[in-house]
Amino acid sequence: MAGQEQTRPQRKDDGPDDLPEPVPTAPTAEKAALDSDIDSVLDEIDTVLESNAEEFVRGFVQKGGQ
Amino acid sequence: MTVRRVMGIETEYGISVPGDPGANPMVLSGHVVHAYASHQGLPAARAGWDYADEAPLRDARGWEMGRGTAHPSQLTDVEDPTMANVVLSNGARLYVDHAHPEYSSPEVTSPRAAVTWDRAGELVMREAAERLRNLPAAMGVPVNLYKNNTDGKGASYGTHENYLMRRETPFQRIIAQLTPFFVVRQVMCGSGRVGIGMESRTPGYQIAQRSDFFEAEVGLETTLKRPIINTRDEPHAVADLYRRLHVIIGDANHCDVAQLLKMGTTSLVLGMIEEGAITRDLAIRGPVPTLHAVSRDVDLRSTVELMSGERIRPVEVLWAYFEMVRDYLDERGGTPDEDTDEVMTWWERVLNLLETDRDAAAPYVDWVGKLAVLERYRDRDALTWESPQLRAIDIQWSDVRLEKGIFHRMAAAGRFHELVPQEQVRAAVTMPPEDTRAYFRGRCVSLFPDSVVAASWDSVIFDVPDSRALQRVPMLEPLRGTREAVGALLDDSPDAGTMLRRLGAASVGGGTG
């Protein structure tokens, strides 16, 4: 199939908004949620993050598996 | 062609006791399995595993490795009485694999169902750890479980996918046409990792947890010198008709969309290979080093070199596969089934996002979502990739606990796109899929727990009072033993003996007609 790479349509033009929507939630709304209040995410992570990161990381030792 | 086929996911979980890095992980994993099994009223030791049909050393290329030359970790069919193992009422297997608790999902027939029953495994592990922590003081162990694939210190453990394929498809063709796909698939479904190199010697972030642990193109090994294409040929089904492709290169996913794409796009590419419909040779020069390089290019700008000399970006390789599948579906005409349609829609959408607006893929793709959080952290606290804080976030991302796991905290706040509602996942903890032999296996465990002495993927063994010998029901056809075939028979049988007599009377070939 030589030349197939030339036939790829201008996908960048038909952005994700033109695609059929399999679900009600719009990706842009989800992204906005992720962007706008990501600092509150960090604040929340701060409250649960292991207090001594260095020790926590050092203590997470696994044996290899498959 | 359809995305539907018999498939499943095996997930090994990281295990640790805070403040006690020396705790024996095999014993701990055994405790995890026992804690869950005993709470469910399932005998973890008694409802054992039937190893009769296991052959982990059989190679898809046509030979068998001598047991003397196999690494002990490859001898997975040797029963060790200290190894906890239980078949769950949803048809899954919960057991100790090497030094990790593993949940092997029941056989399902769609990517969406694979997402559902793998997430059910998260609930199983969460509950198991909670039960173990809450045992009376002397017996309780403060164990934590993690759905990830590396400790960042050189150890990796797997999340394996299984796909039932037609035996007649030449394995060499599978190797040639699937390898390029596996080199770049991580871009859609990698889970993200802080640290470069097996032991994280180089600071940085990469797309996939597993990629650095792959050192060979093709091989039988799973624990060392891991190959991109694993040749374990252990079909757990009629061997003349089927092979089970055992895929070891994927990451453990939390995002539904990434998980759906991992299973769905792979199934479609396998379908194309089976049909002989791969029309473009995408063979990549140096697949192993390229796999590592692709994982490190979070900007998705670098190219990979094809054997033809052409250089294209990983996303373009994925587009090439997508287009072949789409064109083939179009040529066939008709409307694709809804599972196929769902995977194609997400495949196109996620590739578009990765190509035009990567960060907008955060709700769908694990590595992008994790990177967004880590980048904000870096900005806010002026951290470098060497900071233990970032490595801690990477590990804690996959903590199975709702209150501690960073993914779960963010998911609860609606930051990831959920395809399968939580109620369906909860139901899948106890109920098997209805359209495979997992239905018969799971329902038997549920209805006749005292009569099932052992089970495996392709058999259930019963001990019933009116028979001196154990009764073994073979299930070599994965699509038999469905609810449609045996649901009424199971529901109407007061005990296992009655069920077996009726099953014998109704027997159609494979045992669980």
PDB file of all heavy atoms in Angstrom, chain B residues 232-248:
ATOM      1  N   ARG B 232       3.911 -17.669  25.143  1.00  0.00           N
ATOM      2  CA  ARG B 232       3.281 -18.732  25.937  1.00  0.00           C
ATOM      3  C   ARG B 232       2.056 -19.262  25.189  1.00  0.00           C
ATOM      4  O   ARG B 232       1.162 -18.508  24.824  1.00  0.00           O
ATOM      5  CB  ARG B 232       2.875 -18.218  27.326  1.00  0.00           C
ATOM      6  CG  ARG B 232       2.277 -19.330  28.197  1.00  0.00           C
ATOM      7  CD  ARG B 232       1.827 -18.830  29.547  1.00  0.00           C
ATOM      8  NE  ARG B 232       2.956 -18.436  30.376  1.00  0.00           N
ATOM      9  CZ  ARG B 232       2.829 -17.935  31.599  1.00  0.00           C
ATOM     10  NH1 ARG B 232       1.623 -17.770  32.116  1.00  0.00           N
ATOM     11  NH2 ARG B 232       3.888 -17.586  32.299  1.00  0.00           N
ATOM     12  N   ASP B 233       2.035 -20.569  24.980  1.00  0.00           N
ATOM     13  CA  ASP B 233       0.950 -21.164  24.196  1.00  0.00           C
ATOM     14  C   ASP B 233       0.185 -22.138  25.068  1.00  0.00           C
ATOM     15  O   ASP B 233       0.418 -23.329  25.069  1.00  0.00           O
ATOM     16  CB  ASP B 233       1.534 -21.888  22.974  1.00  0.00           C
ATOM     17  CG  ASP B 233       0.437 -22.345  22.011  1.00  0.00           C
ATOM     18  OD1 ASP B 233      -0.749 -22.056  22.280  1.00  0.00           O
ATOM     19  OD2 ASP B 233       0.759 -22.989  21.007  1.00  0.00           O
ATOM     20  N   GLU B 234      -0.715 -21.583  25.846  1.00  0.00           N
ATOM     21  CA  GLU B 234      -1.450 -22.361  26.835  1.00  0.00           C
ATOM     22  C   GLU B 234      -2.908 -21.954  26.653  1.00  0.00           C
ATOM     23  O   GLU B 234      -3.392 -21.059  27.330  1.00  0.00           O
ATOM     24  CB  GLU B 234      -0.924 -21.937  28.216  1.00  0.00           C
ATOM     25  CG  GLU B 234      -1.243 -22.850  29.342  1.00  0.00           C
ATOM     26  CD  GLU B 234      -0.715 -22.243  30.658  1.00  0.00           C
ATOM     27  OE1 GLU B 234      -0.239 -21.097  30.693  1.00  0.00           O
ATOM     28  OE2 GLU B 234      -0.822 -22.938  31.665  1.00  0.00           O
ATOM     29  N   PRO B 235      -3.595 -22.542  25.688  1.00  0.00           N
ATOM     30  CA  PRO B 235      -4.875 -21.965  25.269  1.00  0.00           C
ATOM     31  C   PRO B 235      -5.996 -22.060  26.302  1.00  0.00           C
ATOM     32  O   PRO B 235      -6.927 -21.284  26.260  1.00  0.00           O
ATOM     33  CB  PRO B 235      -5.222 -22.758  24.012  1.00  0.00           C
ATOM     34  CG  PRO B 235      -4.435 -24.018  24.088  1.00  0.00           C
ATOM     35  CD  PRO B 235      -3.196 -23.704  24.864  1.00  0.00           C
ATOM     36  N   HIS B 236      -5.907 -22.996  27.253  1.00  0.00           N
ATOM     37  CA  HIS B 236      -7.039 -23.221  28.168  1.00  0.00           C
ATOM     38  C   HIS B 236      -8.317 -23.429  27.368  1.00  0.00           C
ATOM     39  O   HIS B 236      -9.398 -22.984  27.749  1.00  0.00           O
ATOM     40  CB  HIS B 236      -7.224 -22.047  29.139  1.00  0.00           C
ATOM     41  CG  HIS B 236      -6.054 -21.807  30.021  1.00  0.00           C
ATOM     42  ND1 HIS B 236      -5.395 -22.807  30.689  1.00  0.00           N
ATOM     43  CD2 HIS B 236      -5.408 -20.662  30.361  1.00  0.00           C
ATOM     44  CE1 HIS B 236      -4.412 -22.302  31.390  1.00  0.00           C
ATOM     45  NE2 HIS B 236      -4.375 -21.001  31.206  1.00  0.00           N
ATOM     46  N   ALA B 237      -8.191 -24.061  26.225  1.00  0.00           N
ATOM     47  CA  ALA B 237      -9.332 -24.286  25.335  1.00  0.00           C
ATOM     48  C   ALA B 237      -8.909 -25.355  24.342  1.00  0.00           C
ATOM     49  O   ALA B 237      -7.791 -25.861  24.416  1.00  0.00           O
ATOM     50  CB  ALA B 237      -9.701 -22.990  24.613  1.00  0.00           C
ATOM     51  N   VAL B 238      -9.797 -25.692  23.427  1.00  0.00           N
ATOM     52  CA  VAL B 238      -9.472 -26.718  22.441  1.00  0.00           C
ATOM     53  C   VAL B 238      -8.260 -26.255  21.628  1.00  0.00           C
ATOM     54  O   VAL B 238      -8.331 -25.317  20.849  1.00  0.00           O
ATOM     55  CB  VAL B 238     -10.672 -26.973  21.490  1.00  0.00           C
ATOM     56  CG1 VAL B 238     -10.329 -28.086  20.508  1.00  0.00           C
ATOM     57  CG2 VAL B 238     -11.911 -27.324  22.289  1.00  0.00           C
ATOM     58  N   ALA B 239      -7.129 -26.941  21.849  1.00  0.00           N
ATOM     59  CA  ALA B 239      -5.865 -26.424  21.320  1.00  0.00           C
ATOM     60  C   ALA B 239      -5.801 -26.457  19.798  1.00  0.00           C
ATOM     61  O   ALA B 239      -5.090 -25.676  19.184  1.00  0.00           O
ATOM     62  CB  ALA B 239      -4.693 -27.203  21.912  1.00  0.00           C
ATOM     63  N   ASP B 240      -6.555 -27.362  19.171  1.00  0.00           N
ATOM     64  CA  ASP B 240      -6.519 -27.421  17.713  1.00  0.00           C
ATOM     65  C   ASP B 240      -7.234 -26.233  17.078  1.00  0.00           C
ATOM     66  O   ASP B 240      -6.993 -25.881  15.936  1.00  0.00           O
ATOM     67  CB  ASP B 240      -7.195 -28.716  17.211  1.00  0.00           C
ATOM     68  CG  ASP B 240      -6.368 -29.944  17.559  1.00  0.00           C
ATOM     69  OD1 ASP B 240      -5.173 -29.761  17.874  1.00  0.00           O
ATOM     70  OD2 ASP B 240      -6.912 -31.054  17.526  1.00  0.00           O
ATOM     71  N   LEU B 241      -8.132 -25.639  17.833  1.00  0.00           N
ATOM     72  CA  LEU B 241      -8.934 -24.552  17.272  1.00  0.00           C
ATOM     73  C   LEU B 241      -8.437 -23.172  17.677  1.00  0.00           C
ATOM     74  O   LEU B 241      -8.539 -22.216  16.919  1.00  0.00           O
ATOM     75  CB  LEU B 241     -10.396 -24.678  17.731  1.00  0.00           C
ATOM     76  CG  LEU B 241     -11.169 -25.909  17.261  1.00  0.00           C
ATOM     77  CD1 LEU B 241     -12.565 -25.899  17.870  1.00  0.00           C
ATOM     78  CD2 LEU B 241     -11.253 -25.926  15.733  1.00  0.00           C
ATOM     79  N   TYR B 242      -7.911 -23.080  18.913  1.00  0.00           N
ATOM     80  CA  TYR B 242      -7.636 -21.762  19.446  1.00  0.00           C
ATOM     81  C   TYR B 242      -6.207 -21.629  19.950  1.00  0.00           C
ATOM     82  O   TYR B 242      -5.587 -22.593  20.384  1.00  0.00           O
ATOM     83  CB  TYR B 242      -8.543 -21.473  20.655  1.00  0.00           C
ATOM     84  CG  TYR B 242     -10.009 -21.677  20.418  1.00  0.00           C
ATOM     85  CD1 TYR B 242     -10.702 -22.699  21.069  1.00  0.00           C
ATOM     86  CD2 TYR B 242     -10.700 -20.840  19.554  1.00  0.00           C
ATOM     87  CE1 TYR B 242     -12.062 -22.887  20.867  1.00  0.00           C
ATOM     88  CE2 TYR B 242     -12.058 -21.026  19.340  1.00  0.00           C
ATOM     89  CZ  TYR B 242     -12.738 -22.051  20.007  1.00  0.00           C
ATOM     90  OH  TYR B 242     -14.072 -22.225  19.794  1.00  0.00           O
ATOM     91  N   ARG B 243      -5.731 -20.401  19.927  1.00  0.00           N
ATOM     92  CA  ARG B 243      -4.601 -20.051  20.763  1.00  0.00           C
ATOM     93  C   ARG B 243      -5.057 -18.895  21.653  1.00  0.00           C
ATOM     94  O   ARG B 243      -5.961 -18.136  21.313  1.00  0.00           O
ATOM     95  CB  ARG B 243      -3.369 -19.651  19.943  1.00  0.00           C
ATOM     96  CG  ARG B 243      -3.430 -18.267  19.303  1.00  0.00           C
ATOM     97  CD  ARG B 243      -2.084 -17.828  18.750  1.00  0.00           C
ATOM     98  NE  ARG B 243      -1.709 -18.525  17.540  1.00  0.00           N
ATOM     99  CZ  ARG B 243      -0.762 -19.462  17.499  1.00  0.00           C
ATOM    100  NH1 ARG B 243      -0.083 -19.776  18.589  1.00  0.00           N
ATOM    101  NH2 ARG B 243      -0.470 -20.075  16.368  1.00  0.00           N
ATOM    102  N   ARG B 244      -4.429 -18.805  22.830  1.00  0.00           N
ATOM    103  CA  ARG B 244      -4.694 -17.667  23.702  1.00  0.00           C
ATOM    104  C   ARG B 244      -3.469 -16.778  23.579  1.00  0.00           C
ATOM    105  O   ARG B 244      -2.388 -17.147  24.022  1.00  0.00           O
ATOM    106  CB  ARG B 244      -4.870 -18.129  25.154  1.00  0.00           C
ATOM    107  CG  ARG B 244      -4.939 -16.989  26.161  1.00  0.00           C
ATOM    108  CD  ARG B 244      -5.100 -17.494  27.583  1.00  0.00           C
ATOM    109  NE  ARG B 244      -3.955 -18.283  28.050  1.00  0.00           N
ATOM    110  CZ  ARG B 244      -3.186 -17.969  29.094  1.00  0.00           C
ATOM    111  NH1 ARG B 244      -3.430 -16.884  29.790  1.00  0.00           N
ATOM    112  NH2 ARG B 244      -2.181 -18.736  29.456  1.00  0.00           N
ATOM    113  N   LEU B 245      -3.630 -15.623  22.968  1.00  0.00           N
ATOM    114  CA  LEU B 245      -2.491 -14.716  22.896  1.00  0.00           C
ATOM    115  C   LEU B 245      -2.320 -14.055  24.265  1.00  0.00           C
ATOM    116  O   LEU B 245      -3.226 -13.390  24.768  1.00  0.00           O
ATOM    117  CB  LEU B 245      -2.698 -13.656  21.809  1.00  0.00           C
ATOM    118  CG  LEU B 245      -1.448 -12.812  21.568  1.00  0.00           C
ATOM    119  CD1 LEU B 245      -0.380 -13.610  20.816  1.00  0.00           C
ATOM    120  CD2 LEU B 245      -1.769 -11.530  20.818  1.00  0.00           C
ATOM    121  N   HIS B 246      -1.158 -14.262  24.845  1.00  0.00           N
ATOM    122  CA  HIS B 246      -0.858 -13.782  26.199  1.00  0.00           C
ATOM    123  C   HIS B 246      -0.016 -12.519  26.035  1.00  0.00           C
ATOM    124  O   HIS B 246       1.130 -12.585  25.607  1.00  0.00           O
ATOM    125  CB  HIS B 246      -0.083 -14.891  26.924  1.00  0.00           C
ATOM    126  CG  HIS B 246       0.169 -14.641  28.363  1.00  0.00           C
ATOM    127  ND1 HIS B 246       1.430 -14.673  28.910  1.00  0.00           N
ATOM    128  CD2 HIS B 246      -0.669 -14.370  29.393  1.00  0.00           C
ATOM    129  CE1 HIS B 246       1.350 -14.434  30.211  1.00  0.00           C
ATOM    130  NE2 HIS B 246       0.090 -14.248  30.530  1.00  0.00           N
ATOM    131  N   VAL B 247      -0.611 -11.384  26.353  1.00  0.00           N
ATOM    132  CA  VAL B 247       0.052 -10.098  26.115  1.00  0.00           C
ATOM    133  C   VAL B 247       0.570  -9.561  27.440  1.00  0.00           C
ATOM    134  O   VAL B 247      -0.206  -9.349  28.380  1.00  0.00           O
ATOM    135  CB  VAL B 247      -0.934  -9.094  25.481  1.00  0.00           C
ATOM    136  CG1 VAL B 247      -0.296  -7.710  25.357  1.00  0.00           C
ATOM    137  CG2 VAL B 247      -1.387  -9.598  24.110  1.00  0.00           C
ATOM    138  N   ILE B 248       1.880  -9.328  27.513  1.00  0.00           N
ATOM    139  CA  ILE B 248       2.459  -8.934  28.799  1.00  0.00           C
ATOM    140  C   ILE B 248       2.972  -7.502  28.813  1.00  0.00           C
ATOM    141  O   ILE B 248       3.495  -7.037  29.808  1.00  0.00           O
ATOM    142  CB  ILE B 248       3.599  -9.903  29.204  1.00  0.00           C
ATOM    143  CG1 ILE B 248       4.793  -9.772  28.255  1.00  0.00           C
ATOM    144  CG2 ILE B 248       3.104 -11.348  29.239  1.00  0.00           C
ATOM    145  CD1 ILE B 248       6.024 -10.556  28.737  1.00  0.00           C
TER     146      ILE B 248
END
